[in-house]
Amino acid sequence: MKILVALKQVPDTETKIKVAAGGTSLDPADVKWITSPYDEYALEEGLRLKEAKGAEVTTVSVGEEKAKDVLRNSLALGADNAVLLKSTETGDPLAVAKILAAYAEGKGFDLVLFGNKGFGSDNGAVGAMVAELLGISQANLVTKLEVSESTFRAEREGDGGTEVVEGTLPAVITAQRGLNEPRYASLKGIMAAKKKTIEEVDGAAVTAAMAVSALTLPPARPEGRKLDGDAATQAQTLLGLLRDEAKVL
Amino acid sequence: MILVFCELKDGKIRKASLEALSEARKLSGEAPVAALFVGASCAGSSDAAAFGADAIIKVEGPALGAYSSDLFAAVIADAVKAKGATALLGAATPLGKDVLPRVAAKLDAGYAAEVTSLALVGGKLQAIRPVYAGKAFATVDFTSGIQVASTRPNVFSATECPKAGAVETLPVPAVDFKAIVKEILAKGGGKQDLTEADVIVAGGRGLKEGANFKLLEDLADAIGGVVGASRAAVDAGWGIPHSMQVGQTGKVVSPTLYIACGISGAIQHVAGMSGSKVIVAINKDPEAPIFKLANYGIVGDLFEVLPELTKAAKALSLAK
Ligand SMILES: Cc1cc2nc3c(=O)[nH]c(=O)nc-3n(C[C@H](O)[C@H](O)[C@H](O)COP(=O)(O)OP(=O)(O)OC[C@H]3O[C@@H](n4cnc5c(N)ncnc54)[C@H](O)[C@@H]3O)c2cc1C
């Protein structure tokens, strides 16, 4: 089995967002970069399939030079190969999907694994787009995955319940928290990864379908009001305010 | 024209779909708006006329009884092409978020997820959407011929604006689908999904144990809400499923009222709920960061405050 895992480098979830000069992007100063947490579940699932069934796991990232950290880490965790598809950030999920699909096309991957969304851009779109561009099946937000020779069965977070999706391979699966518990890299793995090479390829030239024209911070919420009195009084006051002042009940 | 992919639930158009439809009506001015329904039965779709649909397009058939991402994507993309629509909207529901990106790729269209504001600029959509889980907002300008966006529930208003709602049907394309929903396990008891809920009562580590979530359920029942949780509560092994988690690694919610009980207000939790219209915090620590966000704060013991709130709410019969 051949498995492709797409990884995205994103700002750490603790990051305080500052807007860069120009007003359209994140100020990268002081940002700590990590692998998008959902992608860690995707990689872990790929590695578990490799251990259980024997598979070749290739990781791929669309990004700039610094994204090699994420790929290096994936090698330390047990990926067989890692590929950087060099490209600059466009803020367009379709452009990223096209670059990934152009790379994956014709390489015979049985599974293409993603996190269900990349932290930051929060589109949750690239996996499904790649599935469409490659003309293969998809299951998003997957919390349990079983694969056989030519089919898969996935449990996904659907509308107010768990949906069981069955389909044929090849397939795109996007991982949700709960799918597995990602491992940590061992010292041995980290040392071995240092010696491996990360393949670098220019990402396919694509035209963006959209562009970010402004990045702004949400307005600060007005100073709130603390309610006095004992529990019963506080409860009464609160319901009164919610009903008559905020008008939300 | 703008085409709006609408979903039916229990024979009624979902509120989140009506919001998308209303927004399309608002954006379109005099230009036509069509509402698209896809399923084994589209009974209930006629209500779309009241919310601004000039046309109601139905794609109906037994093959559409269960959700297949690739088949539904083909149906929706075909409808966009058949109607010559330049923009496609749908609600950011679990199904909408699953299918719309796939449709966008099929149409070589840009896609903006969970938008909170829309405009037409020079005939093309411009969207504002939360990024970094709501810590910032991006304005995105589409350049593609067709533009696709999913609208975040509870942000746009569903406003009546009666139009003709002329019914048309389109055939089910003969697509050999590759994946389909076979069964639905553990139905959430008919409870609303958190992302669509109007009122959320959420609990954190301060609840001390899973059984105490009953206090939240009682209040939620009394005011017509659903229960959510912080990650600490989900991870504590109290039997609270991850589907109830609010935050950066859980659900991003946008209710009109969010009541945070025994939740400190960590940055990753706030990321998931800061888009709420009105926030109430109940916490015994006056310095808890959640108070910085809260419109109304109660410094106190939730084990005393919650039962009082439920009692008072019941007395007022607030459940809708
Ligand atoms: C990568 C990453 C992703 C994360 N994603 C999420 C996420 O999606 N969602 C999320 O919620 N967290 C997330 N977290 C975790 C987050 O950092 C916090 O640890 C978590 O939100 C804390 O939950 P809490 O507020 O319930 O618990 P605590 O921080 O322990 O707060 C408990 C609060 O309860 C109050 N309290 C205790 N007893 C009472 C009482 N009797 N009456 C009233 N108040 C009381 C305390 O004063 C305290 O403020 C993430 C963390 C990381 C690193």
Side-chain angles (χ1 to χ4, degrees):
Chain A
M1 187 157 51
K2 282 183 79 177
I3 300 175
L4 182 67
V5 185
L7 302 174
K8 184 176 184 188
Q9 192 180 39
V10 300
D12 184 16
T13 57
E14 295 277 353
T15 305
K16 208 164 160 356
I17 303 298
K18 279 184 253 149
V19 180
T24 61
S25 60
L26 172 73
D27 181 351
D30 307 327
V31 171
K32 190 180 143 219
W33 297 92
I34 58 166
T35 303
S36 184
Y38 294 112
D39 298 354
E40 294 183 345
Y41 304 114
L43 177 58
E44 178 65 30
E45 199 64 13
L47 297 174
R48 288 188 188 196
L49 282 165
K50 172 181 162 174
E51 285 153 7
K53 298 179 181 268
E56 185 189 1
V57 175
T58 302
T59 54
V60 63
S61 188
V62 176
E64 297 169 33
E65 190 69 19
K66 67 175 166 42
K68 278 164 114 177
D69 291 348
V70 161
L71 293 168
R72 182 81 57 202
N73 183 52
S74 75
L75 291 170
L77 289 165
D80 299 293
N81 324 296
V83 184
L84 175 69
L85 300 175
K86 285 189 280 182
S87 171
T88 46
E89 173 86 44
T90 59
D92 174 19
L94 185 60
V96 176
K98 283 180 177 174
I99 294 169
L100 286 168
Y103 170 77
E105 185 83 63
K107 291 200 173 57
F109 291 109
D110 303 284
L111 274 177
V112 187
L113 305 177
F114 290 85
N116 72 72
K117 66 178 171 190
F119 265 34
S121 52
D122 295 352
N123 278 302
V126 176
M129 287 174 162
V130 168
E132 175 59 33
L133 295 170
L134 294 175
I136 62 178
S137 52
Q138 75 183 54
N140 293 318
L141 290 159
V142 169
T143 52
K144 190 172 176 203
L145 178 66
E146 289 160 25
V147 294
S148 71
E149 247 346 78
S150 58
T151 59
F152 73 87
R153 178 187 182 279
E155 291 183 9
R156 71 175 293 262
E157 256 179 34
D159 213 342
T162 306
E163 293 176 357
V164 179
V165 181
E166 290 182 10
T168 52
L169 297 181
V172 163
I173 302 290
T174 75
Q176 171 64 316
R177 190 163 166 258
L179 180 61
N180 52 45
E181 208 42 68
R183 69 193 66 190
Y184 293 98
S186 65
L187 192 60
K188 193 166 145 249
I190 295 170
M191 298 313 286
K194 285 193 176 146
K195 293 194 207 97
K196 292 194 186 166
T197 40
I198 293 171
E199 195 187 332
E200 288 183 53
V201 190
D202 284 329
V206 295
T207 324
M210 53 171 38
V212 175
S213 59
L215 185 70
T216 51
L217 300 180
R221 293 187 78 99
E223 184 72 32
R225 186 167 150 189
K226 295 225 173 93
L227 312 181
D228 300 322
D230 63 7
T233 316
Q234 286 172 324
Q236 289 288 352
T237 317
L238 177 64
L239 289 178
L241 288 168
L242 291 177
R243 191 182 52 179
D244 304 325
E245 185 182 88
K247 299 191 166 45
V248 293
L249 282 180
Chain B
M1 76 172 289
I2 303 182
L3 185 68
V4 184
F5 170 62
C6 296
E7 293 172 60
L8 292 157
K9 194 176 184 181
D10 307 324
K12 276 197 180 142
I13 305 175
R14 292 180 89 126
K15 180 168 163 265
S17 297
L18 289 176
E19 292 164 5
L21 182 57
S22 269
E23 182 61 17
R25 179 74 272 158
K26 217 168 93 192
L27 288 170
S28 291
E30 293 306 304
V33 170
L36 171 67
F37 294 85
V38 181
S41 155
C42 300
S45 57
S46 53
D47 293 347
F51 289 85
D54 299 292
I56 296 174
I57 302 162
K58 300 194 215 176
V59 188
E60 233 169 348
L64 299 166
Y67 171 63
S68 156
S69 47
D70 41 323
L71 178 57
F72 271 54
V75 168
I76 299 168
D78 280 0
V80 169
K81 285 188 249 171
K83 301 309 293 177
T86 50
L88 170 69
L89 300 185
T93 58
L95 196 153
K97 287 190 279 190
D98 198 75
V99 77
L100 292 171
R102 189 156 187 142
V103 176
K106 223 180 212 346
L107 297 168
D108 200 23
Y111 170 70
E114 307 242 10
V115 305
T116 53
S117 169
L118 282 168
L120 276 176
V121 178
K124 291 200 184 205
L125 281 186
Q126 182 188 62
I128 298 180
R129 53 182 302 273
V131 289
Y132 302 103
K135 288 185 220 165
F137 284 83
T139 305
V140 286
D141 291 291
F142 286 79
T143 45
S144 53
I146 299 174
Q147 306 110 51
V148 182
S150 61
T151 55
R152 172 166 286 190
N154 291 336
V155 172
F156 299 94
S157 57
T159 323
E160 292 206 26
C161 176
K163 293 283 168 187
V167 177
E168 292 171 44
T169 53
L170 289 177
V172 183
V175 172
D176 218 1
F177 62 82
K178 298 187 178 71
I180 191 157
V181 174
K182 277 281 174 192
E183 56 178 316
I184 297 177
L185 310 170
K187 266 216 169 191
K191 284 250 159 102
Q192 224 180 354
D193 192 77
L194 278 177
T195 55
E196 279 184 87
D198 211 28
V199 175
I200 295 174
V201 182
R205 205 193 314 264
L207 266 291
K208 306 262 186 317
E209 53 182 290
N212 293 331
F213 264 63
K214 179 81 173 50
L215 294 171
L216 304 178
E217 277 156 29
D218 291 346
L219 176 60
D221 286 345
I223 58 176
V226 280
V227 176
S230 74
R231 175 155 163 184
V234 171
D235 286 355
W238 295 345
I240 316 269
H242 176 248
S243 57
M244 281 171 67
Q245 183 181 318
V246 172
Q248 196 149 2
T249 40
K251 300 236 159 88
V252 177
V253 300
S254 47
T256 39
L257 175 60
Y258 189 92
I259 306 183
C261 311
I263 291 177
S264 61
I267 189 163
Q268 297 94 348
H269 185 80
V270 167
M273 46 68 78
S274 59
S276 308
K277 196 165 153 232
V278 173
I279 295 171
V280 172
I282 304 173
N283 198 304
K284 66 177 182 193
D285 172 11
E287 302 302 325
I290 190 79
F291 285 120
K292 289 211 188 68
L293 235 69
N295 301 74
Y296 304 111
I298 293 184
V299 179
D301 185 345
L302 65 89
F303 294 104
E304 289 172 23
V305 177
L306 281 174
E308 290 294 343
L309 266 174
T310 305
K311 197 166 82 186
K314 276 191 184 146
L316 293 170
S317 317
L318 286 170
K320 276 174 230 166

